[in-house]
Amino acid sequence: MEVVASAPGKVLITGGYLILERPNVGIVLSTNARFYAIVKPLFEEVKPESWAWAWTDVKVKSPQLSREATYKLSLKNSTLQCISSRHLKNPFVEQAVQYAVAASKVIFLDKDKKDALNKLLLLGLDITILGSNDFYSYRNQIEARGLSLTPDALASLPPFSSIMFNSEASNGTIAGEKCKPEVAKTGLGSSAAMTTSVVAALLHYLGVVNLPCSVKSLPEGNTSNSDLDLVHVIAQSAHCIAQGKIGSGFDVSAAVYGSQRYVRFSPAVLSSAQVMGGKSLQEVVTDILKEKWDHENFQFSLPPLMTLLLGEPGTGGSSTPSMVGAVKQWQKSDLQKSLETWKKLAYANSVLEAQLKNLNKLAEDHWETYRHTLAVCSVCGHERWMERVADQHQESIVKSLLGARDAFLDIRFHMQQMGKAAGVPIEPESQTQLLDVTMNMEGVLLAGVPGAGGYDAIFAIILGEASNTVIKYWSSVGVLPLLVREDPHGVSLESGDPRAKGVSSAISSIQIN
């Protein structure tokens, strides 16, 4: 009766801050870093007298954080009451459980199905949560073992290693809040991936949805898989309530559907959840499911023979909500300047998207020429790419490569200006120097800070086989190259406990040379 579901982390390569407002677009790549939720019954059988009980038991375990919490779950209201907790409770898991159970109650209207659902719930819920090492910083462990900051050192760590906590020291404050979160992370959207994995595992376990074993990339156009759509709506709702605000939702959407071009939903679809007004959770979920969810997610992936590489600068991460709050305050205080900046950013984002799409099309139409051109460009700096052109098709490919670079340099410039105006380190000066050097290396197309920026991570998009040069450079300047790569797949059903299979995102889908 054990169900294991997984959901990926993400990297937002364009659309930082703009994605908060419709109809701005963000390009988000899902990754091979995944969160796993394992759901199974707590008890072997239901006692006859237990049918009269109004509550059942829930146990949530996070081995990597050495945390465990036990709850009573109301069968009537689908709400949790914490009985005991080792350390702090996790609001994302709590809301995921409550919303998934409430959705099950709402959807199963038939009496027999309701009885079967209650019988299953009366067996209790035993939930274990595991996150790939890639979500967290392991610099301290690597350095303590006397190892170099290399992918090989990361790959030597056991899968699902214990997680280090940030020290009390912080790089400063923004609006009175510490810049660093409690746990040092790499900025891959751990809360969204975790929430989605729990929601998906519970909905599958309770018989509400049938998760695919491997979700294929989105079709050309809006996705229309009803089971995934339900997982998406419930995960978005739970995630927003847990974080206390309605964000853009791109991280949850990527966790459900995989790599995509994303436009956020209208916040009004969650108004019922924000202001319950005396309604039960099941009534709130009923309202949410009736709403018209107007988000857009279209298939998008990197062009062939391009590699996404991420690095951890080692500063312990940044608080995205604090940075977003500061940018919003700047918008209010300097409306005209902020509108001009956002307009320029939106244009540069659209140009980059168009160039990457064109490269995908050129690869499809002229594969051998495309393959040869990227191989040639991967061994020299961008200033020499046009020198290597031999025909018009190669010229078209190189023009798109250079056009993508120019657009991304514009994006970086406007993000830097926005950060300075808002007083937040969207692209910190230390990162700027590192990214400038990286972008001028052989075979590097782009290099930047993902999402809202800050100190979490840096990324590069690299042509052909040029990754090793960047990896060696990053390691030499104290940046830990991560094992994360793009993987376009979203939420999926796993065949079993990843610990039993020895799953490690460090070696699951890439080969370290």
Side-chain angles (χ1 to χ4, degrees), residues 56-58 60 69-73 80-83 89 94:
T56 189
D57 296 291
V58 177
V60 178
T70 56
Y71 302 86
K72 290 292 184 180
L73 172 67
L80 290 172
Q81 179 180 330
C82 187
I83 304 302
K89 299 180 292 181
E94 292 177 350

Side-chain angles (χ1 to χ4, degrees), residues 45-55 75 111-123:
E45 59 183 15
V46 179
K47 296 178 181 179
E49 64 270 20
S50 67
W51 283 100
W53 296 351
W55 300 83
L75 295 181
K111 183 180 182 302
D112 290 340
K113 288 186 176 181
K114 280 187 176 293
D115 288 345
L117 174 63
N118 283 329
K119 183 177 180 179
L120 187 55
L121 289 172
L122 284 170
L123 289 171

Side-chain angles (χ1 to χ4, degrees), residues 9-29:
K10 53 68 190 171
V11 178
L12 185 70
I13 62 170
T14 71
Y17 297 97
L18 273 71
I19 203 171
L20 291 165
E21 298 179 4
R22 289 175 56 85
N24 293 319
V25 172
I27 300 300
V28 55
L29 304 179

Side-chain angles (χ1 to χ4, degrees), residues 32 151-152 155 307 309 465 467-468 471 482-485 504-513:
N32 58 351
D152 287 335
T307 300
L309 182 67
E465 304 296 325
S467 296
N468 283 342
I471 287 171
L482 303 180
L483 296 160
V484 179
R485 298 293 184 267
S504 171
S505 63
I507 56 175
S508 61
S509 61
I510 62 170
Q511 182 177 355
I512 303 298
N513 294 320

